[in-house]
Amino acid sequence: LYFTIPDHVFAINARTAELLWQFDFEDKGGHLVGQRGVAMYGNWLYFLTPDGWFISLNAKDGKERWRKKVADEKLQYFTTIAPMIVKNHVIVGVGGDAMDVRGYLESRDPETGEVQWKWWSQPLKMGDPGSETWPNQAAMDHGGGMTWLPGTYDPELNLYYLGTGNPNPVFGGQGRKGDNLYTCSIVALNPDTGKMVWYFQASPHDTHDWDAIQTPVLIDGVIDGKPRKLLAQASRNGYYFLLDRTNGKQIVSEPYVKLNWSKGLDKKGQP
């Protein structure tokens, strides 16, 4: 059994609880509240340190294979996510929603740790799809939308589903008028290219710190007698969403608690 706390990875015998090995790391800053675990590919383990290092260990003895920098702690990024293995990709994300930085998701090569692709949670420049939901380039450059929880993968559709975090400034929306895509959204990405296939925004122009980061749950169900590939999320904003995961179309948007912030739903089923 392999488990983590910030700066440390442990391997124990799952039958006896005997400690087999321990890896210790000295960080240079970052977010020390939590660390969400390791990923495993072949005989190798992967984890992220609070200050943005992506490290691979030998699973047998805990010896370090290599380390690669994925985020700059001096910009107040932190990395607490558990990496996600999808085929020959190790997918990692970042935190940092207390500061005015831009969120992103990376795919890393499990052999070398090098970047395969990078997806930003805001459009990169004015004129790109989604940029019309921001007032200017500066707002997008500092827009948040962190990716600090792992998503879910559908091997049949070859889609990786991820929830994104809140926009920045967190509670002050005056300087970022608009829906602020693709923050507080459920997105479907092609894991081989990092290209976004569809999105659904759970909280347009969020001003309550209502990340939509909750891990999407995939359901193969039946609706009106027809089999459907579904995605469900109970969002922090109080809504339960059920989507068609092939295309992101809304099926259900219903409150699961009493709400006093939403005036209803738009034609996409978004609050």
Side-chain angles (χ1 to χ4, degrees):
L1 174 68
Y2 305 99
F3 68 96
T4 63
I5 59 175
D7 294 330
H8 306 283
V9 182
F10 303 90
I12 67 169
N13 184 311
R15 295 184 182 275
T16 67
E18 173 193 5
L19 178 65
L20 302 177
W21 55 257
Q22 177 177 337
F23 178 86
D24 302 313
F25 179 83
E26 184 177 350
D27 70 83
K28 304 299 182 183
H31 198 302
L32 287 164
V33 171
Q35 215 291 328
R36 294 179 171 84
V38 300
M40 191 170 191
Y41 179 94
N43 296 316
W44 305 321
L45 301 177
Y46 305 88
F47 82 108
L48 288 154
T49 68
D51 56 348
W53 286 101
F54 174 52
I55 297 180
S56 179
L57 307 176
N58 187 309
K60 183 177 181 179
D61 56 17
K63 300 297 183 182
E64 182 176 331
R65 297 173 62 226
W66 42 253
R67 64 178 66 181
K68 303 290 182 178
K69 196 71 169 176
V70 302
D72 187 351
E73 76 280 6
K74 294 182 178 62
L75 297 177
Q76 298 298 306
Y77 283 109
F78 57 84
T79 39
T80 62
I81 191 174
M84 179 83 169
I85 304 294
V86 176
K87 298 192 288 185
N88 67 326
H89 310 289
V90 188
I91 299 177
V92 297
V94 296
D97 59 358
M99 295 292 175
D100 292 338
V101 287
R102 177 196 288 264
Y104 57 88
L105 195 73
E106 284 187 349
S107 175
R108 295 270 175 161
D109 188 307
E111 302 278 351
T112 66
E114 296 302 316
V115 177
Q116 296 170 324
W117 53 256
K118 191 169 190 171
W119 177 79
W120 294 92
S121 55
Q122 287 93 54
L124 289 179
K125 63 183 184 301
M126 300 306 293
D128 287 351
S131 63
E132 70 281 0
T133 66
W134 295 86
N136 51 52
Q137 183 70 45
M140 290 195 306
D141 288 342
H142 302 278
M146 296 302 152
T147 55
W148 48 270
L149 276 181
T152 316
Y153 176 61
D154 182 335
E156 292 184 4
L157 297 175
N158 193 35
L159 290 177
Y160 182 66
Y161 305 98
L162 178 78
T164 64
N166 59 270
N168 284 334
V170 181
F171 301 113
Q174 302 93 325
R176 51 174 174 84
K177 293 181 180 179
D179 286 350
N180 306 143
L181 290 172
Y182 298 93
T183 67
C184 289
S185 297
I186 302 165
V187 299
L189 306 178
N190 182 317
D192 298 319
T193 64
K195 300 297 184 183
M196 188 172 65
V197 176
W198 59 256
Y199 76 90
F200 177 89
Q201 193 171 34
S203 292
H205 190 74
D206 173 43
T207 57
H208 294 81
D209 195 14
W210 282 333
D211 306 70
I213 202 75
Q214 294 74 35
T215 301
V217 177
L218 307 188
I219 303 165
D220 290 336
V222 176
I223 297 178
D224 296 330
K226 297 180 180 179
R228 300 287 296 272
K229 291 183 176 296
L230 307 170
L231 179 150
Q233 185 191 72
S235 194
R236 276 176 66 179
N237 65 10
Y239 272 99
Y240 168 78
F241 298 111
L242 186 70
L243 311 177
D244 182 323
R245 71 175 184 267
T246 68
N247 55 25
K249 301 297 184 183
Q250 173 259 8
I251 298 170
V252 175
S253 299
E254 288 291 337
Y256 62 89
V257 294
K258 186 177 180 180
L259 300 180
N260 60 5
W261 67 272
S262 172
K263 295 180 179 179
L265 303 171
D266 65 15
K267 61 182 180 181
K268 297 179 182 179
Q270 302 172 157

